[in-house]
Amino acid sequence: MAKTPRFTRQGKTADGSGDEPGRGSHDPDQQQPAAQEKHPVDQGMPPLKLFTTGLQHVAAMYAGVVAPPLVIGAAVGLSPSELTFLTGASLFMAGIATLLQTLGFWKVGARLPFVNGVTFATVAPMLAINKSEGPADALPVIFGATMVAAALGFVIAPFFSKLVRFFPPVVTGSVITLIGVSLMPVAFNWAQGGNAKDPDYGGFDNIGMAGATLLIVLLLRRFTSGFLKQIAVLIGLVVGTLIAIPVGITDFTAVEQADIVGFPTPFHFGAPQFALAAIISMCVVMLVSMTESTADMLALGEVVDRPSGEQTIAAGLRADTLGSFVSPFFNGFLCSAFAQNIGLVAMTRIRSRFVVATGGGILIVMGLCPLAAGLVAAVPQPVLGGAGVVLFGSVAASGIQTLLKADLGKDNNVLIVGTALAVGIIPIAAPDFYHAFPEGAKIILDSGISTGCVTAVVLNLVFNHLGRSRRDDEVVAHPMEPGEGIPHPREGAPA
């Protein structure tokens, strides 16, 4: 007699709508046929669709990749041509790191649709290094510190990943929601023009273009279907850019001045130097980056219906740190997973990692072809801001969806969520809140995602783990309500 098909932890099958085949089932009769079908994350797509959807991911994260090298390059006094070189190197390494994360090898790579690139968390310590070392030695010292921090991160990745057992839905939901909320100021800054020193920052033209792009994306999502609906963000970016030309906020200077071919020569700015203070600060940033990457992998795992376990997180952290170690060889900085693209996956429901791998290939081409990079750079910041509202809002919505799986009927869980969100929003609501703290501490405290994540994990440990057996015995011996039976395990309790 045939056995009733089993469902995975989230109650979905492997027909393209749920978890990985065989995950959560120990029935050999069920695993064998299920193994013949691939999880949507591992499914390929037609070439045209791969390219367009991959390009959509690149467009969504491009500004985040080029911002750190532009800031650091300007701080150390690079010429325009050197600045273009540094930006191209960051794009090239973002592509390499993305391929490590999506395709992977051995125990490296989460094999999820993750885009990797230069993390903005490194900007503050790199500016501090520039101030202490001077412009002449700043970049070599930064590169040396990044290599040491990345090597440390690679070694501790399997140990760091064991923290995943302390990430139940009440924690992951809080962190995912916080990721989306923390990214919203980025979209709002883009919508106003991206440069607060610009006289037109926050002007009607900028905000109007952001609103027009948002409207285009929403209309496409509402009134189209199939492929057009899936690439609504890309179409919105292209149409928004075209509309912005007569408005006068589209700048094609990068296209006009760009070379067709360029390669990031290894150690172009000098051999790496190793300064103890710089290494310590970069190691702290690496730990912060690993915390954020863990939260991002948990978030993306929920979005694509393939929950990220300990091995997945360890492999993903190895990809981050290996990419970060190689990056300085080609004049790049510390690489990390980009939360921006989680919103795009959540909105389009295109879960194939090969789409993002294609985006990684596009990033490599852009790094080797400044002209191609210039075309993407021509997308105005307000247009990016309009699309960012939808993308980042989708991340927050995914977090709320995850919180629905937690038992918020418990006062403890409500307290965990409320406190974690409040602590995580501090850098957004009050940017100068930690102004009196040491610079090293501000590196961590100014990352709302990291502080919110740590707060949620610690509170979950305190309220739902420590002393659990004793309190449960007290509840059983003295039930709160007549007829109350043995209580269910508390949220987040160890298995």
Side-chain angles (χ1 to χ4, degrees):
M1 180 180 295
K3 296 183 180 180
T4 302
R6 296 187 180 184
F7 290 87
T8 60
R9 177 157 64 102
Q10 295 186 335
K12 297 180 181 180
T13 59
D15 61 355
S17 60
D19 286 341
E20 187 176 14
R23 186 185 291 269
S25 173
H26 299 285
D27 188 342
D29 294 335
Q30 296 302 325
Q31 286 184 352
Q32 186 172 0
Q36 297 176 0
E37 295 195 31
K38 294 181 179 179
H39 188 280
V41 169
D42 298 318
Q43 291 177 357
M45 300 176 70
L48 178 60
K49 196 170 184 179
L50 275 177
F51 177 77
T52 52
T53 51
L55 182 61
Q56 189 170 233
H57 276 280
V58 172
M61 54 85 75
Y62 179 87
V65 174
V66 301
L70 288 176
V71 172
I72 300 303
V76 301
L78 296 183
S79 65
S81 60
E82 294 291 321
L83 197 58
T84 301
F85 179 91
L86 189 66
T87 303
S90 294
L91 289 168
F92 177 77
M93 281 312 307
I96 297 295
T98 298
L99 292 181
L100 284 174
Q101 193 68 268
T102 53
L103 301 182
F105 68 93
W106 184 57
K107 296 182 180 181
V108 175
R111 293 170 175 82
L112 289 172
F114 250 141
V115 170
N116 274 43
V118 180
T119 172
F120 210 84
T122 60
V123 171
M126 288 194 295
L127 289 176
I129 291 172
N130 174 62
K131 185 176 181 180
S132 62
E133 299 293 336
D137 296 322
L139 288 177
V141 170
I142 288 171
F143 294 149
T146 299
M147 293 172 67
V148 174
L152 171 67
F154 189 88
V155 171
I156 69 173
F159 306 101
F160 198 92
S161 67
K162 293 184 183 299
L163 296 176
V164 70
R165 66 188 295 264
F166 298 115
F167 285 80
V170 69
V171 174
T172 57
S174 301
V175 175
I176 297 168
T177 303
L178 192 56
I179 290 173
V181 173
S182 298
L183 287 172
M184 291 308 296
V186 177
F188 299 152
N189 179 55
W190 290 346
Q192 295 177 87
N195 183 5
K197 297 181 180 179
D198 194 307
D200 296 327
Y201 183 77
F204 177 78
D205 288 346
N206 289 337
I207 295 179
M209 276 308 311
T213 304
L214 173 61
L215 181 61
I216 291 170
V217 174
L218 294 176
L219 290 175
L220 287 169
R221 293 289 299 177
R222 174 61 182 86
F223 294 108
T224 62
S225 60
F227 184 53
L228 288 178
K229 185 174 183 178
Q230 291 174 335
I231 62 169
V233 173
L234 180 60
I235 296 175
L237 292 172
V238 173
V239 175
T241 301
L242 294 176
I243 296 175
I245 294 176
V247 176
I249 61 175
T250 305
D251 186 3
F252 290 101
T253 303
V255 178
E256 297 170 355
Q257 298 180 351
D259 296 327
I260 297 179
V261 179
F263 184 80
T265 310
F267 298 129
H268 178 81
F269 297 99
Q273 300 177 23
F274 302 95
L276 181 60
I279 290 173
I280 293 174
S281 66
M282 202 60 70
C283 285
V284 172
V285 173
M286 175 58 72
L287 293 176
V288 172
S289 176
M290 292 174 73
T291 302
E292 293 188 357
S293 288
T294 299
D296 290 344
M297 279 183 269
L298 291 168
L300 187 58
E302 293 291 335
V303 169
V304 301
D305 293 328
R306 178 185 277 182
S308 298
E310 185 178 313
Q311 292 183 351
T312 299
I313 291 175
L317 293 177
R318 287 192 189 98
D320 279 357
T321 53
L322 180 59
S324 297
F325 181 81
V326 175
S327 187
F329 286 87
F330 297 97
N331 315 284
F333 303 116
L334 190 147
C335 296
S336 179
F338 266 47
Q340 290 95 317
N341 295 79
I342 299 175
L344 190 57
V345 175
M347 189 183 74
T348 63
R349 299 302 296 167
I350 297 178
R351 293 174 279 179
S352 173
R353 59 191 173 100
F354 299 107
V355 165
V356 177
T358 303
I362 294 173
L363 286 168
I364 292 175
V365 172
M366 291 170 63
L368 299 176
C369 179
L371 180 62
L375 289 173
V376 178
V379 178
Q381 295 272 315
V383 174
L384 286 173
V389 170
V390 177
L391 298 178
F392 306 156
S394 297
V395 177
S398 296
I400 295 171
Q401 187 176 23
T402 302
L403 283 173
L404 295 177
K405 302 175 185 177
D407 186 2
L408 295 184
K410 297 180 179 179
D411 291 340
N412 287 350
N413 286 348
V414 172
L415 185 65
I416 292 170
V417 174
T419 307
L421 291 178
V423 171
I425 292 174
I426 286 176
I428 302 173
D432 297 326
F433 189 84
Y434 300 112
H435 74 278
F437 285 69
E439 289 297 323
K442 287 195 290 184
I443 293 172
I444 300 174
L445 297 174
D446 283 340
S447 172
I449 297 174
S450 296
T451 54
C453 179
V454 171
T455 300
V457 170
V458 171
L459 291 180
N460 177 65
L461 181 65
V462 171
F463 285 106
N464 293 332
H465 285 256
L466 299 180
R468 172 181 176 273
S469 298
R470 179 179 60 80
R471 292 199 306 270
D472 282 355
D473 291 341
E474 292 176 354
V475 172
V476 175
H478 306 283
M480 297 296 292
E481 298 179 7
E484 184 180 20
I486 297 176
H488 292 290
R490 295 177 183 270
E491 180 70 43

